Amino acid sequence: MVNKNIMRQFEVSDEQIDRFLSEALGPEVIQGNMDAVVDDAIKNFSPGSLLTGTIIGRAGDDVVIEVGLKSEGLVSISEFDDPEEATSGRKVEVILEAVESDTGQVVLSKRKADRLRGWEKLVNTCSEGDMITGRVMRKIKGGLLVDVGVPVFLPASQVDIRRPSDIGSFIGKEITANILKIDTERRNIVISRRRFLEDQRSVAKEKLFKEIQPGQIRKGTVKNIADFGAFVDLGGVDGLLHITDMSWGRIGHPSDMLRIDEEIEVMVLSVDLEREKIGLGLKQKTDSPWSQVLTKYPAGTRTRGTVVNIMSYGVFVKLEEGLEGLVHISEMSWTKRLNHPSEMVSLGEDVDVVVLGTNKEKQEISLGMKQAQDNPWTLISQKHPAGSVIEGRVRNLTNYGAFIEVEEGIDGLLHVSDMSWTRRITHPSEILKKGQTVKCMVLNVDQEKSRVGLGLKQLTEDPWERAIPEKYVPGQIVQGKVVKITTFGVFLELEPELEGLLHISELADQKVENPNDLLSMGQELEVKILRVDVEDRKIGLSLKRVRWAEEDAQGEQVSSAPARQLRGGLHGPGDLGSDLISYSVLSGSSPAEQPPADEQPAAAQSQPVTPAEEQLEPEVSASEAAAESPQPSEPEDKPVTDERDTADDAASDQPESNPAEAPDDAAGEQKDESSPSPE
């Protein structure tokens, strides 16, 4: 009830009091109906109600709002989009969350009131498919929360045409999207920025394909970067900028040159209207360095470059930006044998190179590193000509020879066939060791093939040229030791590293099937030399002819005849002996002088030779011997020969089997087994 007497004390008339009360509380108060006013106020003052309040001041970070019935509430200043709007006397709408809090104050929310009004406005003015604009608030599960007056949901799949790697980069940005769905019951709205972009691009694409042409320079925005290149948005259509079209130089990854959302100028290389694909280029905006390569880098040009890539077959050297050449591994060093280029150069190293050749069409440059240095092979023939003697270290042993270091980085090959005149060598390790220092003779120098041939045996005289023919003559009786027994004969060691072949046909008068039946390994024998073949380096021996001579010596004595050489390799009587050549002669020393005839060993002087024995050679008939050299006249008192002598003479007229007449297969084996020089 209104007490007007109190108000009259302030000299206010009753009409003014009624007018003020009517404006503030309504006409029902003037008529005394206060219950209706109180009931209506209490009804609006329930939690969840939308109230209109007046800002009456600030309390720290809170705004004090009076909402009626002398009730005041606090609202955080953060709920105002613009803090400058929180001025005293301004009317604002708030939601009553609680009539009384723990502190006894009314709990209000301006943000909820704004959302309520925004939802009502959005539902009343917008429908599905319409375009709206809002600010991305935060990242939530499955997408983003966007404020368009009310919070709406933007799924991650609808953020962009290509789903970005991090949708959080959109937080705080203003975006435009289309409404996909409105759920009024749940007060939920789903929007799509992707659909909006697709609609915009569809219009721009149609316009772009009408005017775009190869060769045009256009601006674009980098939208995505992959290992093979980058996609550039030209305004409605994405074009591919391949990594090979980004720079004339070498690029490890497109991200080395470009960044997402970077704006660049590119050249249109190709346009495919059917497939709606556009090829772009960045390096084509400048001239290719290959256009002037023949002028700037002709063959023979010496320059300097940087190693930019190392492969197993060579290295790539950058001469300038966009211009690289290949140095093959064979063109890196004159003397070093490289297993991999990394043994000589490293990535980023500056090296001197010489241009060997250029193919402008294929954009290839062949370079050489060793050509920038002096070639040691041009001087090797002058420093070490054929016939000179060098001393070097054994660097490596192989099945076919040994590599000897002639000088730093240059090796020569000592073949097994050039290690000994007489010894049969199957592997160099038999006489050499790795790291051993040896003297060799330079046999030849091949500059084109970068090879040096060396010889070890050439340091000594070849015994087959003089020593062996002088000391081992046909007709001699010598001693030897059985060192090898084969199916076609026996090899006898006459002295160290010198062997002769005793063919199976020269073992005995009767036919021998297996030499093992008559001889054994290590057995010492006296044999006669049938022939000394200097060209093939072979000595043919006979065992049965020694026995013939012994039998003839027991029967008669024959006067010596003038020295002569008969066909078949036999010397005449008086030239027989059993003296052996020394090993030093075989090693290349000067051969010892022949001892006088009266100083010949007793074994040689005690072996008389009959004229009949001369005729026992299978290669010489009696008529051929008489025609070639006169025979000594026989004494008139020549004793009558017995039946055995007649048989021997008859046997001498028959051609006998000897190593020279052995079957082809036996001859082949004889060549392999008896040759003292390895092939």
Side-chain angles (χ1 to χ4, degrees):
M1 185 173 183
V2 180
N3 190 351
K4 296 183 178 181
N5 293 326
I6 297 175
M7 300 187 69
R8 290 191 186 100
Q9 295 178 1
F10 295 97
E11 296 181 355
V12 178
S13 63
D14 293 341
E15 293 78 6
Q16 290 178 331
I17 294 174
D18 292 339
R19 182 167 53 85
F20 290 150
L21 291 175
S22 178
E23 291 177 357
L25 301 177
E28 294 83 358
V29 176
I30 300 300
Q31 298 174 4
N33 190 9
M34 290 295 295
D35 294 337
V37 175
V38 174
D39 292 341
D40 187 49
I42 294 173
K43 180 180 179 181
N44 294 333
F45 217 71
S46 60
S49 301
L50 179 64
L51 305 176
T52 300
T54 304
I55 299 175
I56 61 175
R58 295 277 297 271
D61 292 334
D62 296 328
V63 178
V64 181
I65 300 176
E66 193 271 321
V67 292
L69 296 179
K70 303 300 181 180
S71 299
E72 298 173 352
L74 299 178
V75 175
S76 175
I77 190 66
S78 61
E79 294 193 20
F80 288 82
D81 295 334
D82 185 2
E84 299 296 331
E85 296 178 355
T87 58
S88 297
R90 184 173 182 176
K91 298 287 184 179
V92 293
E93 288 185 329
V94 293
I95 292 292
L96 178 62
E97 292 188 323
V99 176
E100 186 177 5
S101 65
D102 296 339
T103 59
Q105 293 179 336
V106 178
V107 180
L108 305 175
S109 174
K110 180 181 181 296
R111 181 176 293 141
K112 290 183 178 180
D114 292 341
R115 290 178 181 176
L116 179 61
R117 289 303 184 189
W119 172 259
E120 292 175 352
K121 179 181 178 181
L122 186 64
V123 171
N124 295 330
T125 60
C126 298
S127 60
E128 294 181 356
D130 291 348
M131 183 177 66
I132 57 174
T133 301
R135 182 181 298 276
V136 178
M137 299 171 57
R138 63 181 182 273
K139 184 177 178 180
I140 61 176
K141 183 179 180 181
L144 298 173
L145 195 63
V146 183
D147 184 9
V148 295
V150 294
V152 296
F153 178 60
L154 174 60
S157 61
Q158 302 297 320
V159 172
D160 206 341
I161 295 176
R162 292 184 181 88
R163 183 169 181 173
S165 58
D166 181 18
I167 60 176
S169 60
F170 286 86
I171 296 177
K173 293 183 178 180
E174 195 83 17
I175 65 169
T176 302
N178 288 351
I179 299 176
L180 291 182
K181 183 179 180 181
I182 299 177
D183 189 347
T184 55
E185 294 181 359
R186 298 181 180 179
R187 290 191 177 185
N188 184 27
I189 298 178
V190 180
I191 63 174
S192 171
R193 179 174 177 265
R194 175 179 178 178
R195 177 172 294 184
F196 169 76
L197 295 177
E198 288 176 346
D199 293 342
Q200 296 293 320
R201 287 171 64 88
S202 178
V203 177
K205 180 190 296 184
E206 184 178 354
K207 179 181 178 182
L208 181 66
F209 276 115
K210 289 181 180 180
E211 59 185 21
I212 193 169
Q213 294 293 332
Q216 292 179 347
I217 302 295
R218 287 185 168 269
K219 289 185 178 181
T221 304
V222 179
K223 290 300 180 181
N224 194 18
I225 295 178
D227 294 337
F228 54 85
F231 291 95
V232 181
D233 184 6
L234 301 177
V237 180
D238 285 352
L240 174 61
L241 175 60
H242 199 269
I243 186 173
T244 57
D245 293 314
M246 291 184 179
S247 173
W248 293 110
R250 182 182 297 271
I251 300 177
H253 194 272
S255 59
D256 298 340
M257 289 190 63
L258 303 176
R259 296 290 182 271
I260 298 292
D261 293 333
E262 179 183 358
E263 188 172 315
I264 59 174
E265 278 191 350
V266 291
M267 177 180 285
V268 179
L269 302 181
S270 62
V271 178
D272 190 341
L273 297 177
E274 295 182 359
R275 302 170 65 184
E276 296 185 349
K277 291 187 177 181
I278 300 176
L280 305 176
L282 197 59
K283 69 179 183 180
Q284 286 78 6
K285 295 169 56 180
T286 59
D287 293 335
S288 170
W290 289 94
S291 59
Q292 302 295 328
V293 67
L294 296 177
T295 304
K296 296 180 64 175
Y297 299 100
T301 302
R302 179 167 178 165
T303 183
R304 192 168 181 82
T306 304
V307 178
V308 294
N309 196 13
I310 299 178
M311 307 297 291
S312 59
Y313 52 85
V315 297
F316 288 92
V317 177
K318 183 176 74 173
L319 305 181
E320 62 181 63
E321 189 64 33
L323 205 60
E324 297 178 4
L326 172 64
V327 181
H328 195 266
I329 189 172
S330 62
E331 303 295 340
M332 298 184 70
S333 174
W334 290 110
T335 56
K336 293 182 180 179
R337 294 181 177 87
L338 302 176
N339 295 321
H340 196 274
S342 59
E343 299 176 6
M344 191 169 179
V345 297
S346 57
L347 203 62
E349 180 181 353
D350 292 337
V351 294
D352 292 324
V353 293
V354 173
V355 179
L356 303 181
T358 303
N359 190 327
K360 184 178 179 181
E361 289 72 21
K362 295 183 178 180
Q363 296 188 354
E364 295 177 351
I365 299 179
S366 178
L367 304 175
M369 289 175 54
K370 68 181 183 181
Q371 287 78 6
Q373 305 171 357
D374 294 333
N375 184 3
W377 288 98
T378 58
L379 303 176
I380 193 68
S381 59
Q382 301 177 7
K383 296 174 61 177
H384 304 286
S388 61
V389 178
I390 61 99
E391 184 174 354
R393 180 174 57 89
V394 179
R395 295 189 66 255
N396 195 19
L397 299 177
T398 64
N399 292 332
Y400 53 86
F403 286 96
I404 311 296
E405 186 179 41
V406 178
E407 59 181 49
E408 181 67 27
I410 297 180
D411 294 344
L413 175 61
L414 173 59
H415 198 268
V416 288
S417 61
D418 292 314
M419 291 185 178
S420 175
W421 292 111
T422 57
R423 182 175 176 180
R424 184 190 302 272
I425 300 175
T426 57
H427 195 275
S429 59
E430 298 177 10
I431 61 173
L432 297 176
K433 294 182 179 180
K434 191 173 182 179
Q436 178 183 353
T437 301
V438 295
K439 287 185 177 181
C440 298
M441 178 180 288
V442 178
L443 303 182
N444 58 76
V445 178
D446 191 338
Q447 295 185 14
E448 295 182 359
K449 297 183 179 180
S450 300
R451 294 177 181 176
V452 177
L454 303 176
L456 185 62
K457 68 181 183 181
Q458 286 78 5
L459 295 175
T460 60
E461 181 186 7
D462 185 359
W464 284 97
E465 292 183 358
R466 187 163 58 92
I468 292 178
E470 289 181 358
K471 292 301 180 179
Y472 291 90
V473 296
Q476 274 186 307
I477 296 179
V478 295
Q479 289 184 345
K481 181 174 67 174
V482 177
V483 294
K484 187 175 183 181
I485 301 177
T486 66
T487 57
F488 59 86
V490 179
F491 285 96
L492 272 65
E493 184 184 53
L494 303 180
E495 55 186 81
E497 300 186 7
L498 182 62
E499 297 177 358
L501 175 61
L502 176 58
H503 196 266
I504 190 172
S505 62
E506 296 295 332
L507 290 177
D509 293 334
Q510 68 277 12
K511 184 177 181 180
V512 178
E513 297 293 342
N514 188 359
N516 287 287
D517 298 339
L518 298 178
L519 304 176
S520 59
M521 292 292 294
Q523 183 177 350
E524 297 282 349
L525 298 176
E526 279 192 347
V527 292
K528 176 181 283 189
I529 298 176
L530 293 181
R531 64 188 58 78
V532 179
D533 192 339
V534 176
E535 183 176 352
D536 292 336
R537 298 176 179 264
K538 298 177 182 178
I539 298 178
L541 306 175
S542 175
L543 178 61
K544 68 180 181 180
R545 297 176 190 272
V546 174
R547 296 171 181 169
W548 290 353
E550 292 176 352
E551 293 174 356
D552 291 342
Q554 295 175 1
E556 55 181 316
Q557 296 292 331
V558 181
S559 59
S560 43
R564 61 185 179 84
Q565 184 173 357
L566 302 179
R567 291 182 62 185
L570 290 178
H571 283 198
D575 290 341
L576 303 180
S578 61
D579 54 325
L580 302 179
I581 185 170
S582 64
Y583 180 69
S584 62
V585 174
L586 295 180
S587 302
S589 305
S590 300
E593 296 182 356
Q594 292 283 356
D598 56 353
E599 297 181 5
Q600 293 288 337
Q605 298 181 12
S606 62
Q607 298 294 337
V609 182
T610 62
E613 185 177 347
E614 285 187 292
Q615 301 173 6
L616 295 180
E617 287 296 326
E619 299 173 349
V620 183
S621 64
S623 60
E624 290 174 340
E628 180 179 351
S629 177
Q631 297 290 334
S633 58
E634 296 180 356
E636 295 180 357
D637 56 349
K638 177 181 179 180
V640 179
T641 58
D642 55 14
E643 294 179 0
R644 184 185 60 80
D645 294 336
T646 304
D648 292 342
D649 292 341
S652 65
D653 294 336
Q654 299 295 331
E656 296 178 15
S657 176
N658 54 64
E661 299 170 350
D664 293 340
D665 54 346
E669 291 185 65
Q670 176 185 0
K671 179 178 180 180
D672 295 337
E673 298 295 335
S674 62
S675 175
S677 175
E679 296 296 335

